[in-house]
Amino acid sequence: MLKSMLKKVGFMTLAIPMLLVGMVTGASAEDPSEFDLNKTVIYECIAPLTNFEMPVNIKVPEIDFDKLQPNQSFTVYNAIAEVTLPDNPVVSTLRGFPYYANAISGDVTSFKIYSDNIASMIDVASTPIPIPVTPIPASGDLTFTVPQSGGISVGPFIAGPNGVVTITAGEINTTINPIGGLPLPINVTCTPKDIGDNAVLITIPIE
């Protein structure tokens, strides 16, 4: 099984990917070895009142191939994303002026995943993915999982004739809905902090 692993994280007045290359079963596991893909991508996010960095942990419990045949079609199944909104400046802004919210919900409206070799892009949130209703803590960061249950299929992609296929996380657009205070939707746009290793989710050889 292919074991690709983690890196860093970041997010703003709420943006989530929500999506991502491969994600699945909803709950986070304590043992990273339970996942064939367990990678944290750090995003830089822009929102109406502030900019911020947000960590998005992308997980896939099982990838049933560790290499591809030339020109093979392939899909990654059951992907999930754990998104952490930082207390400062995002969560503190939501719980205070001007929102005074006690929870959030929303939608991930775009989450782009890229494949090279034969270049292609799939938007796994072309049908918006709900952000579950999540209470805002009295202090500290806020973490939620998308999708709340089940997982997302990412693909199909096509391998090239030779070399390797690299799958990378791309841009995320999100609408956050504060609950319990000012009901003003917050539109957030996020991009990976670095286009290099930070955004790489998995590399698969073609043999």
Side-chain angles (χ1 to χ4, degrees):
M1 288 303 172
L2 188 57
K3 303 282 179 184
S4 288
M5 309 245 17
L6 2 79
K7 254 172 182 163
K8 308 177 184 177
V9 337
F11 180 34
M12 150 74 163
T13 301
L14 280 50
I16 149 178
M18 297 132 135
L19 204 253
L20 338 111
V21 151
M23 306 169 257
V24 90
T25 287
S28 59
E30 310 228 345
D31 182 1
S33 67
E34 294 184 17
F35 294 87
D36 276 5
L37 173 65
N38 188 341
K39 170 69 179 283
T40 298
V41 178
I42 298 178
Y43 277 82
E44 294 179 325
C45 301
I46 300 173
L49 297 181
T50 187
N51 299 343
F52 60 94
E53 290 188 1
M54 168 186 77
V56 177
N57 186 202
I58 298 170
K59 296 181 178 182
V60 178
E62 183 176 11
I63 299 175
D64 59 4
F65 51 83
D66 57 10
K67 60 184 178 181
L68 298 167
Q69 296 180 356
N71 305 311
Q72 177 180 340
S73 174
F74 66 98
T75 298
V76 177
Y77 296 99
N78 293 328
I80 61 171
E82 294 177 349
V83 179
T84 298
L85 301 179
D87 185 18
N88 183 19
V90 179
V91 184
S92 59
T93 299
L94 287 169
R95 71 169 71 93
F97 179 84
Y99 298 104
Y100 299 110
N102 56 35
I104 63 162
S105 64
D107 292 286
V108 177
T109 56
S110 180
F111 195 140
K112 296 178 180 178
I113 302 298
Y114 293 90
S115 174
D116 67 358
N117 199 291
I118 293 181
S120 60
M121 182 277 292
I122 291 177
D123 189 343
V124 298
S126 56
T127 298
I129 304 169
I131 298 172
V133 174
T134 305
I136 294 175
S139 62
D141 300 341
L142 182 155
T143 299
F144 58 89
T145 299
V146 178
Q148 185 176 22
S149 62
I152 293 173
S153 296
V154 183
F157 293 109
I158 303 294
N162 53 55
V164 298
V165 176
T166 301
I167 304 295
T168 57
E171 304 83 0
I172 296 169
N173 293 328
T174 301
T175 298
I176 299 299
N177 298 319
I179 298 172
L182 180 65
L184 180 65
I186 302 164
N187 294 319
V188 183
T189 300
C190 299
T191 56
K193 183 174 182 179
D194 299 303
I195 301 303
D197 290 346
N198 172 58
V200 172
L201 297 172
I202 193 170
T203 300
I204 312 165
I206 301 170
E207 299 180 1

